[in-house]
Amino acid sequence: MAELLLEIFSEEIPARMQARAADDLLRMVTEGLGKNGLTFDGAKSYVTPRRLVLVVEGLPVAGPDVSEEKRGPRVGAPEQAMAGFLSSTGMSLDQLEKRDTGKGEFYFAVINKKGRPTVEAARDVIEAAMADFPWPKSQRWGANSVRWVRPLQSILCLFAGEVVPVSFGPISAGNTSRGHRFLAPAEFTVKDFADYATKLAAAKVTLDPVERRHSILRQAEEAAAREGFTLRADDGLLAEVTGLVELPNVLVGTIDDKFMAVPQEVLITSMRSHQKYFSALKADGSLAPRFLVVSNMEASDDGRAIVAGNQRVLRARLSDAAFFWDTDRKARLDSRLPKLAERLFYARLGTMAEKVERMATLARHLTAFVEAAHADDAERAARLAKADLSTEMVGEFPELQGIMGRYYALNDGEKPEVADAIAGHYAPQGPSDAVPTAPLTICAALADKIDSLVGFFAIDEKPTGSKDPFALRRAALGVIRLVVENNLRLPLFTLFQFAHSLYPAGVLNSDPKMVANDLLDFFADRLKVHLKEKGVRHDLVNAVFALGDEDDLVRLLARVDALAQFLSSDDGANLLIAYRRAANIVKIEEKKDGASFAGPVDQSKLDQAEEKALAQALAPVRDSLAHALKAENFADAMAALARLRQPVDQFFDKVTVNADVADLRVNRLKLLSEIGAAMGEVADFAKVEG
């Protein structure tokens, strides 16, 4: 058994592509080896900014021998047919076998093939993988016809210590590699992976991205602690910087005091976006006047020159940010509203100015359902929510939209709760985001999301498959979380129609009720996903949604919770079985008779004690159900259903439904139909699985 080692060495691979590329290389090569009948003990891939590496251990020197059998023409077949078969097998007539198949005597060719050498298979597999490699973007370089993410420099490929003759464009594989671009650029020869890893480490390259990530994090935390601060967590930046360096060295720089008056979000974003710097925090959570830079160099002067250079660059960056901050505050936020008329929301849905006006009206309307939300303030917050899109700062840093609106609103003297709503109206933007709880923020956030959902659904721009260009799934989940986590009693069906009415005549050529129904179906699917992550059974959500008149998510979830508890009880489980039995009997007999058995039971035709007892139990149960459901006391509704268990069980034990007497049979089928009708007031039990 032997080892296959592959290194594809190139100019810098974009950090965002590295992890996927390492996975793709591992998958494509190991699958290719498998198709050649080659098994192995293990495989692992690595990636640095300049190299993709794969090591496969425990490969045989050749694939297994293969015996293939082909059936040929019938004995006595025309000479032309025999000639074609012999040509396809590469055999002569005397090498063929004759066999009686029961349908006549036929020629058979048994072709024994020696296992293919692993070196040959590996060469073909690697060349095919490189040719078909799924880079998001790739390029040609020089006069070469092949494509790679960046210009290739070399290929190292060894099997059992010998070079595998892989070639790709102008590059042929060898047994050499190189280390760090500046600190150890000389070539070195390699025997195997252990030798490669040892020499690469000596050449100032940390091969394993996990090791680099841990090194950066450890150094950054220790460096911040030495300064008396803590590192601001940023997993996204950590992942990116891991893909930018082969030898991480974390250094600490100082932010000039004159910039500390600029909002800390601006400083953090500027340092992160432009310079890939980490931030440090004081004990109170505010930004410390320090930044941490991950250098790809060792420095003999403790990094003082590197830090000084980065501080000069940072001063220029933060001077721009400070200029934007000072410039933007010279104009009131509300004075920027006319500029939104020049900004398109979506071609078929009008401008951002028109969206803001709809949001303002919708936010005022929502205050009727959000406790402690003042209508004028909600309208004001929604109207100003998008105004910062026209500022210099948000033009430079789009990720600060909303956040800068809050700062500018406070600077203008707006109410703090209005300013907070401007900052929070985009939330929640993902499943891990906190949900706003402040009344005005809830109104603004709901207004923004509902307006978008209604507009895009009304013009039939709905998510399809994995495509969701307008993030409508995220918007719907945001509405669901805002409603559920704040216990809001929103009538979504009428609310969607109201939002539809706010668009000017002729913009939406769609039926408001149809759009509302489509959105409720969409919300049902999103809610199932949301609840599944919390361990709630999707079939119970289906059972409640199937009632068709439930658009209050808080009430719906209360029903689902009560239904889950009921079905987990002995009474609920047994009643579900009885329901299915009753429903199946009624369905079969209705199909047979071509008639419906819905309708009142004829009390005078009740014959046996058990059917009389069931009929007598149904009326008070339905009364109790009606009162409990009206009061939204779903636990009591389930308790009322539970009272049906005993009379239903006794009915099925003693009563023959399909009696010989026609009137008796019809009446008993109506009684079974009544059971389904009673239970159907709580949920559609036909949707319950298990």
Side-chain angles (χ1 to χ4, degrees):
M1 308 301 275
E3 172 192 276
L4 174 67
L5 172 63
L6 171 67
E7 179 201 64
I8 305 171
F9 189 88
S10 69
E11 296 298 329
E12 275 71 9
I13 305 167
R16 68 183 183 280
M17 299 183 189
Q18 290 177 18
R20 173 69 182 273
D23 290 343
D24 285 337
L25 182 66
L26 177 66
R27 173 183 55 81
M28 295 174 80
V29 173
T30 55
E31 285 180 359
L33 294 173
K35 289 175 181 177
N36 279 269
L38 295 168
T39 59
F40 50 88
D41 294 336
K44 189 169 183 180
S45 60
Y46 304 88
V47 64
T48 80
R50 295 205 297 160
R51 66 198 81 220
L52 272 174
V53 177
L54 174 67
V55 58
V56 184
E57 298 174 340
L59 277 165
V61 294
D65 295 343
V66 177
S67 180
E68 182 184 2
E69 186 174 279
K70 288 186 176 181
R71 190 175 84 165
R74 187 187 298 270
V75 174
E79 186 178 336
Q80 188 175 0
M82 284 303 303
F85 181 66
L86 291 173
S87 175
S88 70
T89 60
M91 301 176 75
S92 61
L93 185 62
D94 60 348
Q95 292 176 302
L96 302 181
E97 297 179 9
K98 294 179 183 180
R99 296 182 197 168
D100 190 345
T101 65
K103 296 183 178 180
E105 196 173 22
F106 288 81
Y107 286 108
F108 282 82
V110 179
I111 305 167
N112 296 311
K113 293 182 179 179
K114 292 291 291 180
R116 190 182 184 199
T118 299
V119 168
E120 293 180 11
R123 178 198 62 207
D124 292 348
V125 166
I126 291 168
E127 288 178 353
M130 293 184 70
D132 296 333
F133 207 81
W135 293 111
K137 289 185 178 180
S138 59
Q139 60 182 232
R140 293 189 181 92
W141 69 100
N144 305 303
S145 60
V146 295
R147 302 180 70 92
W148 198 246
V149 63
R150 293 292 185 269
L152 274 184
Q153 301 295 307
S154 66
I155 299 172
L156 180 154
C157 193
L158 301 175
F159 178 69
E162 299 297 325
V163 173
V164 179
V166 170
S167 64
F168 187 69
I171 309 294
S172 295
N175 64 347
T176 62
S177 183
R178 281 169 281 177
H180 192 284
R181 181 187 287 276
F182 305 110
L183 302 176
E187 285 190 351
F188 55 84
T189 59
V190 174
K191 295 185 298 183
D192 54 27
F193 179 70
D195 184 45
Y196 172 76
T198 300
K199 290 179 176 176
L200 200 61
K204 310 297 185 182
V205 174
T206 303
L207 176 62
D208 191 339
V210 175
E211 188 179 338
R212 291 201 306 279
R213 181 188 179 100
H214 288 166
S215 175
I216 294 168
L217 183 59
R218 175 183 53 77
Q219 290 185 58
E221 289 176 339
E222 291 173 354
R226 285 195 298 271
E227 298 289 323
F229 306 119
T230 58
L231 179 70
R232 179 181 176 273
D234 192 334
D235 288 342
L237 181 59
L238 180 58
E240 184 176 6
V241 172
T242 298
L244 296 177
V245 296
E246 290 193 321
L247 184 71
N249 181 24
V250 177
L251 303 169
V252 181
T254 300
I255 304 171
D256 288 358
D257 288 340
K258 66 180 181 180
F259 297 122
M260 295 308 293
V262 177
Q264 67 177 33
E265 293 92 344
V266 174
L267 302 182
I268 291 169
T269 301
S270 180
M271 292 190 294
R272 184 187 193 281
S273 299
H274 291 307
Q275 303 304 125
K276 313 305 176 190
Y277 296 158
F278 289 91
S279 302
L281 302 176
K282 298 177 183 177
D284 63 0
S286 61
L287 183 67
R290 299 289 186 275
F291 67 90
L292 296 97
V293 57
V294 183
S295 170
N296 193 34
M297 295 290 291
E298 286 180 337
S300 57
D301 61 350
D302 295 328
R304 287 189 294 273
I306 294 174
V307 169
N310 279 276
Q311 286 181 164
R312 283 195 299 273
V313 173
L314 182 60
R315 275 194 292 272
R317 289 292 188 190
L318 296 188
S319 293
D320 290 342
F323 174 78
F324 295 146
W325 169 240
D326 292 337
T327 301
D328 286 341
R329 286 182 296 159
K330 292 176 182 177
R332 286 184 57 85
L333 194 58
D334 54 12
S335 72
R336 301 181 182 278
L337 290 175
K339 275 282 186 184
L340 295 180
E342 302 170 11
R343 185 181 294 270
L344 201 62
F345 169 48
Y346 186 66
R348 294 168 60 191
L349 297 176
T351 66
M352 193 62 75
E354 291 168 328
K355 176 179 175 63
V356 162
E357 286 305 311
R358 293 192 301 270
M359 284 174 57
T361 305
L362 195 50
R364 172 178 282 276
H365 181 75
L366 284 163
T367 58
F369 307 99
V370 180
E371 189 176 349
H374 191 277
D376 290 343
D377 291 341
E379 182 178 337
R380 180 68 174 171
R383 181 167 282 115
L384 293 176
K386 308 291 185 183
D388 64 354
L389 295 176
S390 300
T391 63
E392 298 287 343
M393 188 72 79
V394 173
E396 179 71 14
F397 301 113
E399 59 268 48
L400 292 179
Q401 56 191 274
I403 294 170
M404 295 314 302
R406 174 182 177 275
Y407 279 109
Y408 297 141
L410 290 172
N411 182 72
D412 294 345
E414 298 285 350
K415 294 179 180 179
E417 55 269 31
V418 170
D420 290 343
I422 295 170
H425 85 278
Y426 291 104
Q429 296 193 66
S432 59
D433 277 9
V435 170
T437 56
L440 296 189
T441 309
I442 293 169
C443 291
L446 284 172
D448 185 23
K449 294 168 178 60
I450 290 172
D451 174 75
S452 294
L453 284 160
V454 169
F456 283 112
F457 264 68
I459 61 172
D460 202 28
E461 290 283 3
K462 305 169 188 175
T464 56
S466 61
K467 295 182 179 179
D468 185 11
F470 308 112
L472 300 182
R473 292 189 182 99
R474 186 175 69 189
L477 183 57
V479 173
I480 288 169
R481 292 187 63 202
L482 282 161
V483 170
V484 172
E485 295 181 33
N486 287 294
N487 203 38
L488 302 180
R489 308 305 302 273
L490 285 186
L492 290 176
F493 186 71
T494 55
L495 189 59
F496 292 150
Q497 292 180 76
F498 177 74
H500 190 287
S501 72
L502 299 180
Y503 281 85
V507 172
L508 305 182
N509 296 315
S510 54
D511 178 44
K513 289 186 178 180
M514 186 176 295
V515 171
N517 277 320
D518 286 349
L519 274 169
L520 283 181
D521 290 341
F522 183 62
F523 268 54
D525 290 337
R526 292 297 91 209
L527 186 61
K528 289 173 202 172
V529 173
H530 177 62
L531 294 178
K532 184 179 180 180
E533 293 170 356
K534 296 180 177 296
V536 179
R537 287 168 49 181
H538 72 279
D539 59 321
L540 303 189
V541 181
N542 284 339
V544 175
F545 257 117
L547 295 177
D549 60 351
E550 187 58 271
D551 67 343
D552 182 326
L553 298 184
V554 172
R555 187 168 59 218
L556 182 144
L557 293 182
R559 279 180 182 257
V560 170
D561 184 56
L563 182 59
Q565 293 185 41
F566 175 61
L567 291 175
S568 66
S569 70
D570 187 53
D571 283 342
N574 281 282
L575 193 57
L576 177 61
I577 293 170
Y579 165 84
R580 288 174 175 159
R581 185 176 178 185
N584 285 336
I585 292 171
V586 171
K587 183 179 179 181
I588 291 168
E589 299 307 312
E590 284 185 339
K591 186 176 181 181
K592 185 190 299 181
D593 291 12
S596 171
F597 296 114
V601 173
D602 188 340
Q603 300 292 323
S604 67
K605 290 187 173 67
L606 296 172
D607 182 44
Q608 292 182 224
E610 291 78 13
E611 59 184 317
K612 291 177 181 177
L614 177 55
Q616 288 170 1
L618 274 168
V621 164
R622 297 198 75 163
D623 285 343
S624 297
L625 276 175
H627 286 103
L629 293 174
K630 186 175 181 180
E632 298 185 9
N633 191 332
F634 301 112
D636 282 359
M638 301 303 167
L641 280 185
R643 298 205 299 270
L644 285 176
R645 181 195 169 178
Q646 184 176 359
V648 167
D649 285 349
Q650 290 174 347
F651 175 88
F652 280 120
D653 283 344
K654 302 294 184 181
V655 178
T656 301
V657 176
N658 283 319
D660 293 334
V661 179
D663 288 350
L664 205 57
R665 169 180 171 272
V666 169
N667 208 46
R668 288 173 179 174
L669 288 169
K670 286 185 175 182
L671 191 55
L672 293 188
S673 185
E674 284 261 321
I675 297 171
M679 295 180 68
E681 293 178 23
V682 172
D684 184 350
F685 282 83
K687 302 286 185 184
V688 178
E689 299 174 1

